[in-house]
Amino acid sequence: MRTRAFWMVSVTLSCLAQTDLINLSPSSTSKLPSKVEAIAFTADGSRAAVATKAGAFFVETKGGAVVGRFATGSIRSIAVSRDNSRFAAGGESGDIVLADAGGAQTAQFRP
């Protein structure tokens, strides 16, 4: 049963990512620059890490404000550590970028 619930959430997020529902806030300044490729939420649900073809962004889930960018380029995959202290993004170029909770890049790995 747990797998089914995860699958339903994944399908829902995938469907949202393929639509133009990327403006998470009424404010036009909060729009992401391109469609969402992937999304990962912090454990407390207060912030999301969002992957787009224009980079990886932090988005506040309450209000939808885009509060920072921690990677550039076409990002396809994104993850958040269980303790919300680290974020990882993987791009089409094969690069992997690690960032802390404040958005500062802590490491970058290239193929």
Side-chain angles (χ1 to χ4, degrees):
M1 195 60 108
R2 191 174 206 141
T3 303
R4 176 181 273 174
F6 176 76
W7 181 81
M8 290 172 61
V9 170
S10 297
V11 170
T12 301
L13 291 176
S14 295
C15 290
L16 288 174
Q18 298 304 316
T19 69
D20 289 326
L21 298 176
I22 57 174
N23 181 10
L24 303 174
S25 169
S27 169
S28 62
T29 60
S30 294
K31 284 187 178 180
L32 294 167
S34 64
K35 288 187 177 182
V36 173
E37 297 288 326
I39 188 167
F41 293 92
T42 57
D44 64 2
S46 66
R47 186 179 270 192
V50 180
T52 73
K53 290 190 177 192
F57 297 87
F58 292 120
V59 176
E60 296 292 336
T61 55
K62 186 174 184 178
V66 176
V67 294
R69 173 189 279 187
F70 69 94
T72 58
S74 184
I75 304 299
R76 301 291 304 239
S77 181
I78 202 143
V80 180
S81 67
R82 288 184 182 170
D83 65 357
N84 302 331
S85 67
R86 293 171 301 223
F87 295 80
E92 285 184 1
S93 65
D95 290 3
I96 298 170
V97 176
L98 303 179
D100 64 20
Q105 282 190 12
T106 58
Q108 184 168 3
F109 304 98
R110 296 204 164 140

